[in-house]
Amino acid sequence: TQLLEQSPQFLSIQEGENLTVYCNSSSVFSSLQWYRQEPGEGPVLLVTVVTGGEVKKLKRLTFQFGDARKDSSLHITAAQPGDTGLYLCAGAGAGSYQLTFGKGTKLSVIP
Amino acid sequence: ETGVTQTPRHLVMGMTNKKSLKCEQHLGHNAMYWYKQSAKKPLELMFVYNFKEQTENNSVPSRFSPECPNSSHLFLHLHTLQPEDSALYLCASSHPPPGRGGTEAFFGQGTRLTVV
């Protein structure tokens, strides 16, 4: 069974601060995705990383896939209240129909 | 708007009721999924359909019965549920499935189910 551990579970920061969220596993994934979910809504895809060591940027968000494709990080620069939400990482195993999700990191950005 | 629409958004049902959740996607995807999201647990995959054929059933109790009449529509039929089945039920689609060199999963807004 593939497991994804996300840390921290909860994070409350002031507007303008930087933060990093981690997603770790002992399993290798063919790709890894990050989603953001707001209360009462479905997860919305932010990014997919496929190649070990890959770095992708989405405005103030920077995503990195580990060299061994077992872990990933999400860094947010100068957090804004609009960044508040549940951040989920999900990994896809090669040849699998299944996405394995982490429990998520609940981020609150205080104005 | 992700192109995946779920109805109803909210549902309250008694343990003896029968109800159905509906999901529709207009993205031309071939794979559709049902997920369950409970408090303090990761998203749990329930069922996978690829080209209308069920490819995975993750040990889901028989009180949940999926139906996929075509690649655009997915149903989850519910009967004699328990209070612990209360959760957010999410539908998703992708083309092809994520682990087969495919694209990402797109989720609907979910149905918030409460069993009383």
Side-chain angles (χ1 to χ4, degrees), chain A residues 37 40-41 48 95-98, chain B residues 9 37 56 58 97 99 104 109:
Chain A
Q37 185 177 19
E41 303 290 331
T48 298
S96 170
Y97 290 92
Q98 188 159 303
Chain B
R9 291 293 309 276
Q37 188 174 35
E56 286 196 34
N58 278 8
E104 305 85 358
Q109 293 176 302

Side-chain angles (χ1 to χ4, degrees), chain B residues 7-8 11 13 18-22 67 75-78:
Chain B
T7 55
L11 178 62
M13 61 185 287
K18 286 185 182 181
K19 296 285 183 184
S20 296
L21 310 185
K22 180 182 176 182
E67 179 191 359
F75 295 89
L76 188 62
H77 304 299
L78 316 170

Side-chain angles (χ1 to χ4, degrees), chain A residues 4 9 30-31 33 35 37 40-45 47-48 86 88 92-103, chain B residues 2 9 33 35 37 40-43 45 48 50 55-56 58 88 90 97-100 103-110:
Chain A
L4 276 169
Q9 269 192 282
S30 62
S31 67
Q33 300 162 22
Y35 294 81
Q37 185 177 19
E41 303 290 331
V44 176
L45 181 71
V47 79
T48 298
L86 179 68
L88 296 159
S96 170
Y97 290 92
Q98 188 159 303
L99 275 177
T100 299
F101 279 85
K103 288 187 180 181
Chain B
T2 62
R9 291 293 309 276
Y33 313 79
Y35 282 88
Q37 188 174 35
K40 300 181 183 179
K41 284 188 179 181
L43 271 163
L45 180 66
V48 181
N50 190 35
T55 54
E56 286 196 34
N58 278 8
L88 182 68
L90 290 160
R100 295 183 176 239
T103 59
E104 305 85 358
F106 290 83
F107 285 84
Q109 293 176 302

Side-chain angles (χ1 to χ4, degrees), chain B residues 44-59:
Chain B
E44 300 171 74
L45 180 66
M46 299 175 73
F47 301 104
V48 181
Y49 278 82
N50 190 35
F51 289 101
K52 302 186 298 178
E53 298 297 321
Q54 187 178 129
T55 54
E56 286 196 34
N57 173 346
N58 278 8
S59 304

Side-chain angles (χ1 to χ4, degrees), chain B residues 27-98:
Chain B
L27 301 168
H29 290 168
N30 294 322
M32 295 187 77
Y33 313 79
W34 281 116
Y35 282 88
K36 177 183 178 182
Q37 188 174 35
S38 307
K40 300 181 183 179
K41 284 188 179 181
L43 271 163
E44 300 171 74
L45 180 66
M46 299 175 73
F47 301 104
V48 181
Y49 278 82
N50 190 35
F51 289 101
K52 302 186 298 178
E53 298 297 321
Q54 187 178 129
T55 54
E56 286 196 34
N57 173 346
N58 278 8
S59 304
V60 180
S62 60
R63 58 185 183 270
F64 295 91
S65 174
E67 179 191 359
C68 188
N70 54 61
S71 294
S72 299
H73 294 85
L74 186 64
F75 295 89
L76 188 62
H77 304 299
L78 316 170
H79 62 99
T80 59
L81 294 192
Q82 305 297 310
E84 58 265 30
D85 296 322
S86 299
L88 182 68
Y89 288 84
L90 290 160
C91 173
S93 71
S94 70
H95 172 70

